[in-house]
Amino acid sequence: MNGSPLVDCERVHAHLSDPEWRIFDCRHQLSDPDVGMLAYGGGHLPGAFFLHLDRDLSGPRNGRNGRHPLPDPPTLAEKLGAAGVHAGVQVVAYDDCGGMIASRLWWLLRWLGHDRVAVLDGGIPRWLAEGKALSIEVPQVQPAIFTVSLRDWVVSSDEVLANLGRQRFCLVDARSPDRFAGENETLDPVAGHIPGSLNRCFRDNLDASDRFRPAFELRREFLQLFAGTTPQHAVMSCGSGVSACHNLLAMEIAGLSGARLYAGSWSEWCSNPQRPIATGAS
């Protein structure tokens, strides 16, 4: 299923014993970083490994690079290899929040050059709703060598700053409308958004059951948002480079490939008081 960004529960269930599939549990709560690991210990998809957003899917913070800086590629590659991931393996990522964290792993793998990765649509809530069993067993597999072929998909804060005057790309913020407007900020010390950016909350990609909406709807809405800008001239951001990946996944589902990620996002941007900020809905 190389190239398909989503997978359903039936397909995953049929491949639980497939040695060429690897499943990763990415559950996480920003307010309590231990919740995901505890949930994994209480029951996860059979054969699933656990990857922690802070410790595995992010790099060290220094106070200037955001709350979830990108991990060191060789370090992440070593962790993936330890779980048996190599070029021929199909990876599936899941969480319990509509794919917000799982999409981070989906993007990271593709950034590292591994395209055989998909997000479980509906996550573990859908798995349980379909009556499928969980396991408490931690899998044991033969380690593999994960080879990195890094892609140029990341935009720096300097590029974003330079873009304020040039408008060479369209910057889209995946946070909720209130946080984008500078209201009800609870995660970062400064409220607001990067001047000139647009708002597309990642929750708008999902239906009432936290599954992704149809591709044609997503395509129509993103194209309307871009207003003539091509996906290749779009950059996704959010609070810390996590939910922005959800918008990138939704664009991939919609057939709109080519956008890049401002990984540091708002938490990096607002760490420097010399960078301009904006508030309000637009």
Side-chain angles (χ1 to χ4, degrees), residues 62-91:
N62 60 23
R64 302 178 305 278
N65 60 354
R67 286 183 281 108
H68 294 107
L70 292 179
D72 173 60
T75 301
L76 179 56
E78 184 177 352
K79 293 176 180 180
L80 293 167
V85 180
H86 57 79
V89 165
Q90 173 65 50
V91 175

PDB file of all heavy atoms in Angstrom, residues 62-91:
ATOM      1  N   ASN A  62      16.007  24.026  23.573  1.00  0.00           N
ATOM      2  CA  ASN A  62      16.993  24.945  24.137  1.00  0.00           C
ATOM      3  C   ASN A  62      16.393  26.293  24.507  1.00  0.00           C
ATOM      4  O   ASN A  62      17.127  27.236  24.829  1.00  0.00           O
ATOM      5  CB  ASN A  62      18.166  25.129  23.172  1.00  0.00           C
ATOM      6  CG  ASN A  62      17.747  25.696  21.825  1.00  0.00           C
ATOM      7  OD1 ASN A  62      16.699  26.338  21.696  1.00  0.00           O
ATOM      8  ND2 ASN A  62      18.558  25.468  20.792  1.00  0.00           N
ATOM      9  N   GLY A  63      15.057  26.391  24.456  1.00  0.00           N
ATOM     10  CA  GLY A  63      14.391  27.643  24.792  1.00  0.00           C
ATOM     11  C   GLY A  63      14.188  28.563  23.604  1.00  0.00           C
ATOM     12  O   GLY A  63      13.462  29.558  23.713  1.00  0.00           O
ATOM     13  N   ARG A  64      14.827  28.219  22.474  1.00  0.00           N
ATOM     14  CA  ARG A  64      14.700  29.064  21.283  1.00  0.00           C
ATOM     15  C   ARG A  64      14.225  28.284  20.064  1.00  0.00           C
ATOM     16  O   ARG A  64      14.008  28.882  19.010  1.00  0.00           O
ATOM     17  CB  ARG A  64      16.055  29.708  20.952  1.00  0.00           C
ATOM     18  CG  ARG A  64      16.648  30.549  22.064  1.00  0.00           C
ATOM     19  CD  ARG A  64      17.996  31.128  21.699  1.00  0.00           C
ATOM     20  NE  ARG A  64      18.939  30.083  21.283  1.00  0.00           N
ATOM     21  CZ  ARG A  64      19.643  29.319  22.117  1.00  0.00           C
ATOM     22  NH1 ARG A  64      19.499  29.473  23.428  1.00  0.00           N
ATOM     23  NH2 ARG A  64      20.488  28.406  21.656  1.00  0.00           N
ATOM     24  N   ASN A  65      14.087  26.963  20.180  1.00  0.00           N
ATOM     25  CA  ASN A  65      13.736  26.141  19.013  1.00  0.00           C
ATOM     26  C   ASN A  65      12.361  25.498  19.115  1.00  0.00           C
ATOM     27  O   ASN A  65      12.068  24.532  18.427  1.00  0.00           O
ATOM     28  CB  ASN A  65      14.811  25.070  18.779  1.00  0.00           C
ATOM     29  CG  ASN A  65      14.976  24.135  19.969  1.00  0.00           C
ATOM     30  OD1 ASN A  65      14.377  24.339  21.027  1.00  0.00           O
ATOM     31  ND2 ASN A  65      15.795  23.107  19.803  1.00  0.00           N
ATOM     32  N   GLY A  66      11.499  26.028  19.977  1.00  0.00           N
ATOM     33  CA  GLY A  66      10.133  25.547  20.057  1.00  0.00           C
ATOM     34  C   GLY A  66       9.954  24.402  21.043  1.00  0.00           C
ATOM     35  O   GLY A  66      10.911  23.871  21.605  1.00  0.00           O
ATOM     36  N   ARG A  67       8.690  24.038  21.240  1.00  0.00           N
ATOM     37  CA  ARG A  67       8.362  22.990  22.207  1.00  0.00           C
ATOM     38  C   ARG A  67       8.639  21.584  21.683  1.00  0.00           C
ATOM     39  O   ARG A  67       8.864  20.657  22.457  1.00  0.00           O
ATOM     40  CB  ARG A  67       6.894  23.104  22.626  1.00  0.00           C
ATOM     41  CG  ARG A  67       6.617  24.271  23.570  1.00  0.00           C
ATOM     42  CD  ARG A  67       5.175  24.330  24.024  1.00  0.00           C
ATOM     43  NE  ARG A  67       4.287  24.909  23.019  1.00  0.00           N
ATOM     44  CZ  ARG A  67       3.411  24.240  22.303  1.00  0.00           C
ATOM     45  NH1 ARG A  67       3.293  22.930  22.439  1.00  0.00           N
ATOM     46  NH2 ARG A  67       2.630  24.865  21.426  1.00  0.00           N
ATOM     47  N   HIS A  68       8.580  21.393  20.369  1.00  0.00           N
ATOM     48  CA  HIS A  68       8.822  20.070  19.782  1.00  0.00           C
ATOM     49  C   HIS A  68       9.730  20.197  18.560  1.00  0.00           C
ATOM     50  O   HIS A  68       9.297  19.975  17.431  1.00  0.00           O
ATOM     51  CB  HIS A  68       7.499  19.396  19.403  1.00  0.00           C
ATOM     52  CG  HIS A  68       6.643  19.073  20.586  1.00  0.00           C
ATOM     53  ND1 HIS A  68       5.500  19.778  20.880  1.00  0.00           N
ATOM     54  CD2 HIS A  68       6.784  18.138  21.555  1.00  0.00           C
ATOM     55  CE1 HIS A  68       4.959  19.285  21.986  1.00  0.00           C
ATOM     56  NE2 HIS A  68       5.717  18.288  22.417  1.00  0.00           N
ATOM     57  N   PRO A  69      11.005  20.544  18.789  1.00  0.00           N
ATOM     58  CA  PRO A  69      11.937  20.633  17.660  1.00  0.00           C
ATOM     59  C   PRO A  69      12.089  19.269  16.982  1.00  0.00           C
ATOM     60  O   PRO A  69      11.852  18.219  17.605  1.00  0.00           O
ATOM     61  CB  PRO A  69      13.249  21.074  18.313  1.00  0.00           C
ATOM     62  CG  PRO A  69      13.109  20.702  19.757  1.00  0.00           C
ATOM     63  CD  PRO A  69      11.654  20.839  20.076  1.00  0.00           C
ATOM     64  N   LEU A  70      12.464  19.284  15.733  1.00  0.00           N
ATOM     65  CA  LEU A  70      12.607  18.022  15.011  1.00  0.00           C
ATOM     66  C   LEU A  70      13.700  17.164  15.641  1.00  0.00           C
ATOM     67  O   LEU A  70      14.724  17.671  16.101  1.00  0.00           O
ATOM     68  CB  LEU A  70      12.946  18.297  13.544  1.00  0.00           C
ATOM     69  CG  LEU A  70      11.844  18.941  12.713  1.00  0.00           C
ATOM     70  CD1 LEU A  70      12.338  19.181  11.290  1.00  0.00           C
ATOM     71  CD2 LEU A  70      10.583  18.088  12.704  1.00  0.00           C
ATOM     72  N   PRO A  71      13.496  15.851  15.651  1.00  0.00           N
ATOM     73  CA  PRO A  71      14.532  14.968  16.188  1.00  0.00           C
ATOM     74  C   PRO A  71      15.739  14.894  15.258  1.00  0.00           C
ATOM     75  O   PRO A  71      15.635  15.184  14.059  1.00  0.00           O
ATOM     76  CB  PRO A  71      13.817  13.616  16.266  1.00  0.00           C
ATOM     77  CG  PRO A  71      12.796  13.679  15.182  1.00  0.00           C
ATOM     78  CD  PRO A  71      12.330  15.112  15.158  1.00  0.00           C
ATOM     79  N   ASP A  72      16.858  14.507  15.820  1.00  0.00           N
ATOM     80  CA  ASP A  72      18.054  14.263  15.028  1.00  0.00           C
ATOM     81  C   ASP A  72      17.791  13.061  14.115  1.00  0.00           C
ATOM     82  O   ASP A  72      17.431  11.986  14.603  1.00  0.00           O
ATOM     83  CB  ASP A  72      19.216  13.964  15.969  1.00  0.00           C
ATOM     84  CG  ASP A  72      20.462  13.544  15.246  1.00  0.00           C
ATOM     85  OD1 ASP A  72      20.973  14.323  14.438  1.00  0.00           O
ATOM     86  OD2 ASP A  72      20.915  12.399  15.491  1.00  0.00           O
ATOM     87  N   PRO A  73      17.920  13.226  12.791  1.00  0.00           N
ATOM     88  CA  PRO A  73      17.580  12.120  11.884  1.00  0.00           C
ATOM     89  C   PRO A  73      18.291  10.805  12.181  1.00  0.00           C
ATOM     90  O   PRO A  73      17.636   9.750  12.233  1.00  0.00           O
ATOM     91  CB  PRO A  73      17.931  12.688  10.499  1.00  0.00           C
ATOM     92  CG  PRO A  73      17.702  14.149  10.639  1.00  0.00           C
ATOM     93  CD  PRO A  73      18.180  14.468  12.023  1.00  0.00           C
ATOM     94  N   PRO A  74      19.614  10.780  12.408  1.00  0.00           N
ATOM     95  CA  PRO A  74      20.251   9.496  12.713  1.00  0.00           C
ATOM     96  C   PRO A  74      19.736   8.855  14.002  1.00  0.00           C
ATOM     97  O   PRO A  74      19.630   7.630  14.085  1.00  0.00           O
ATOM     98  CB  PRO A  74      21.742   9.861  12.824  1.00  0.00           C
ATOM     99  CG  PRO A  74      21.899  11.098  12.016  1.00  0.00           C
ATOM    100  CD  PRO A  74      20.620  11.851  12.226  1.00  0.00           C
ATOM    101  N   THR A  75      19.409   9.687  14.994  1.00  0.00           N
ATOM    102  CA  THR A  75      18.886   9.145  16.253  1.00  0.00           C
ATOM    103  C   THR A  75      17.525   8.505  16.042  1.00  0.00           C
ATOM    104  O   THR A  75      17.259   7.397  16.532  1.00  0.00           O
ATOM    105  CB  THR A  75      18.796  10.257  17.309  1.00  0.00           C
ATOM    106  OG1 THR A  75      20.092  10.819  17.528  1.00  0.00           O
ATOM    107  CG2 THR A  75      18.254   9.718  18.617  1.00  0.00           C
ATOM    108  N   LEU A  76      16.633   9.183  15.322  1.00  0.00           N
ATOM    109  CA  LEU A  76      15.319   8.610  15.038  1.00  0.00           C
ATOM    110  C   LEU A  76      15.466   7.367  14.169  1.00  0.00           C
ATOM    111  O   LEU A  76      14.765   6.373  14.375  1.00  0.00           O
ATOM    112  CB  LEU A  76      14.429   9.645  14.348  1.00  0.00           C
ATOM    113  CG  LEU A  76      13.019   9.177  13.971  1.00  0.00           C
ATOM    114  CD1 LEU A  76      12.265   8.633  15.191  1.00  0.00           C
ATOM    115  CD2 LEU A  76      12.228  10.301  13.312  1.00  0.00           C
ATOM    116  N   ALA A  77      16.355   7.402  13.203  1.00  0.00           N
ATOM    117  CA  ALA A  77      16.578   6.236  12.342  1.00  0.00           C
ATOM    118  C   ALA A  77      17.019   5.032  13.153  1.00  0.00           C
ATOM    119  O   ALA A  77      16.603   3.895  12.885  1.00  0.00           O
ATOM    120  CB  ALA A  77      17.621   6.573  11.278  1.00  0.00           C
ATOM    121  N   GLU A  78      17.852   5.252  14.161  1.00  0.00           N
ATOM    122  CA  GLU A  78      18.303   4.156  15.018  1.00  0.00           C
ATOM    123  C   GLU A  78      17.133   3.550  15.793  1.00  0.00           C
ATOM    124  O   GLU A  78      17.039   2.326  15.937  1.00  0.00           O
ATOM    125  CB  GLU A  78      19.373   4.666  15.985  1.00  0.00           C
ATOM    126  CG  GLU A  78      19.982   3.583  16.844  1.00  0.00           C
ATOM    127  CD  GLU A  78      21.088   4.108  17.741  1.00  0.00           C
ATOM    128  OE1 GLU A  78      21.482   5.281  17.571  1.00  0.00           O
ATOM    129  OE2 GLU A  78      21.559   3.356  18.608  1.00  0.00           O
ATOM    130  N   LYS A  79      16.232   4.396  16.283  1.00  0.00           N
ATOM    131  CA  LYS A  79      15.062   3.905  17.018  1.00  0.00           C
ATOM    132  C   LYS A  79      14.127   3.124  16.103  1.00  0.00           C
ATOM    133  O   LYS A  79      13.583   2.084  16.486  1.00  0.00           O
ATOM    134  CB  LYS A  79      14.332   5.071  17.671  1.00  0.00           C
ATOM    135  CG  LYS A  79      15.130   5.752  18.772  1.00  0.00           C
ATOM    136  CD  LYS A  79      14.402   6.960  19.336  1.00  0.00           C
ATOM    137  CE  LYS A  79      15.235   7.611  20.433  1.00  0.00           C
ATOM    138  NZ  LYS A  79      14.565   8.804  21.026  1.00  0.00           N
ATOM    139  N   LEU A  80      13.933   3.615  14.886  1.00  0.00           N
ATOM    140  CA  LEU A  80      13.085   2.911  13.931  1.00  0.00           C
ATOM    141  C   LEU A  80      13.719   1.583  13.535  1.00  0.00           C
ATOM    142  O   LEU A  80      13.025   0.555  13.431  1.00  0.00           O
ATOM    143  CB  LEU A  80      12.857   3.788  12.704  1.00  0.00           C
ATOM    144  CG  LEU A  80      12.026   5.055  12.934  1.00  0.00           C
ATOM    145  CD1 LEU A  80      12.142   5.989  11.742  1.00  0.00           C
ATOM    146  CD2 LEU A  80      10.566   4.705  13.198  1.00  0.00           C
ATOM    147  N   GLY A  81      15.017   1.586  13.326  1.00  0.00           N
ATOM    148  CA  GLY A  81      15.707   0.352  12.996  1.00  0.00           C
ATOM    149  C   GLY A  81      15.613  -0.672  14.108  1.00  0.00           C
ATOM    150  O   GLY A  81      15.479  -1.879  13.858  1.00  0.00           O
ATOM    151  N   ALA A  82      15.668  -0.209  15.363  1.00  0.00           N
ATOM    152  CA  ALA A  82      15.545  -1.119  16.503  1.00  0.00           C
ATOM    153  C   ALA A  82      14.185  -1.804  16.523  1.00  0.00           C
ATOM    154  O   ALA A  82      14.041  -2.911  17.059  1.00  0.00           O
ATOM    155  CB  ALA A  82      15.770  -0.357  17.802  1.00  0.00           C
ATOM    156  N   ALA A  83      13.187  -1.159  15.941  1.00  0.00           N
ATOM    157  CA  ALA A  83      11.848  -1.752  15.843  1.00  0.00           C
ATOM    158  C   ALA A  83      11.671  -2.545  14.554  1.00  0.00           C
ATOM    159  O   ALA A  83      10.557  -2.970  14.236  1.00  0.00           O
ATOM    160  CB  ALA A  83      10.791  -0.653  15.930  1.00  0.00           C
ATOM    161  N   GLY A  84      12.748  -2.722  13.813  1.00  0.00           N
ATOM    162  CA  GLY A  84      12.693  -3.549  12.607  1.00  0.00           C
ATOM    163  C   GLY A  84      12.239  -2.848  11.357  1.00  0.00           C
ATOM    164  O   GLY A  84      11.900  -3.488  10.367  1.00  0.00           O
ATOM    165  N   VAL A  85      12.250  -1.517  11.367  1.00  0.00           N
ATOM    166  CA  VAL A  85      11.819  -0.775  10.182  1.00  0.00           C
ATOM    167  C   VAL A  85      12.978  -0.651   9.202  1.00  0.00           C
ATOM    168  O   VAL A  85      14.061  -0.199   9.562  1.00  0.00           O
ATOM    169  CB  VAL A  85      11.300   0.624  10.553  1.00  0.00           C
ATOM    170  CG1 VAL A  85      10.858   1.377   9.293  1.00  0.00           C
ATOM    171  CG2 VAL A  85      10.147   0.537  11.544  1.00  0.00           C
ATOM    172  N   HIS A  86      12.747  -1.059   7.982  1.00  0.00           N
ATOM    173  CA  HIS A  86      13.696  -0.868   6.890  1.00  0.00           C
ATOM    174  C   HIS A  86      12.916  -0.473   5.647  1.00  0.00           C
ATOM    175  O   HIS A  86      11.696  -0.271   5.706  1.00  0.00           O
ATOM    176  CB  HIS A  86      14.533  -2.130   6.647  1.00  0.00           C
ATOM    177  CG  HIS A  86      13.722  -3.363   6.356  1.00  0.00           C
ATOM    178  ND1 HIS A  86      13.178  -3.609   5.113  1.00  0.00           N
ATOM    179  CD2 HIS A  86      13.362  -4.406   7.154  1.00  0.00           C
ATOM    180  CE1 HIS A  86      12.512  -4.754   5.143  1.00  0.00           C
ATOM    181  NE2 HIS A  86      12.605  -5.254   6.375  1.00  0.00           N
ATOM    182  N   ALA A  87      13.574  -0.350   4.525  1.00  0.00           N
ATOM    183  CA  ALA A  87      12.952   0.216   3.323  1.00  0.00           C
ATOM    184  C   ALA A  87      11.713  -0.540   2.861  1.00  0.00           C
ATOM    185  O   ALA A  87      10.782   0.047   2.295  1.00  0.00           O
ATOM    186  CB  ALA A  87      13.978   0.274   2.189  1.00  0.00           C
ATOM    187  N   GLY A  88      11.653  -1.848   3.092  1.00  0.00           N
ATOM    188  CA  GLY A  88      10.522  -2.626   2.598  1.00  0.00           C
ATOM    189  C   GLY A  88       9.366  -2.757   3.558  1.00  0.00           C
ATOM    190  O   GLY A  88       8.359  -3.409   3.239  1.00  0.00           O
ATOM    191  N   VAL A  89       9.462  -2.151   4.728  1.00  0.00           N
ATOM    192  CA  VAL A  89       8.439  -2.309   5.767  1.00  0.00           C
ATOM    193  C   VAL A  89       7.344  -1.260   5.631  1.00  0.00           C
ATOM    194  O   VAL A  89       7.615  -0.079   5.415  1.00  0.00           O
ATOM    195  CB  VAL A  89       9.080  -2.235   7.166  1.00  0.00           C
ATOM    196  CG1 VAL A  89       8.034  -2.033   8.246  1.00  0.00           C
ATOM    197  CG2 VAL A  89       9.881  -3.499   7.444  1.00  0.00           C
ATOM    198  N   GLN A  90       6.091  -1.720   5.786  1.00  0.00           N
ATOM    199  CA  GLN A  90       4.947  -0.820   5.841  1.00  0.00           C
ATOM    200  C   GLN A  90       4.738  -0.393   7.295  1.00  0.00           C
ATOM    201  O   GLN A  90       4.551  -1.232   8.171  1.00  0.00           O
ATOM    202  CB  GLN A  90       3.677  -1.497   5.327  1.00  0.00           C
ATOM    203  CG  GLN A  90       2.401  -0.690   5.507  1.00  0.00           C
ATOM    204  CD  GLN A  90       2.382   0.585   4.686  1.00  0.00           C
ATOM    205  OE1 GLN A  90       2.641   0.551   3.496  1.00  0.00           O
ATOM    206  NE2 GLN A  90       2.068   1.707   5.313  1.00  0.00           N
ATOM    207  N   VAL A  91       4.771   0.896   7.549  1.00  0.00           N
ATOM    208  CA  VAL A  91       4.586   1.432   8.894  1.00  0.00           C
ATOM    209  C   VAL A  91       3.170   1.975   9.035  1.00  0.00           C
ATOM    210  O   VAL A  91       2.642   2.611   8.118  1.00  0.00           O
ATOM    211  CB  VAL A  91       5.605   2.543   9.195  1.00  0.00           C
ATOM    212  CG1 VAL A  91       5.332   3.177  10.557  1.00  0.00           C
ATOM    213  CG2 VAL A  91       7.028   1.991   9.142  1.00  0.00           C
TER     214      VAL A  91
END
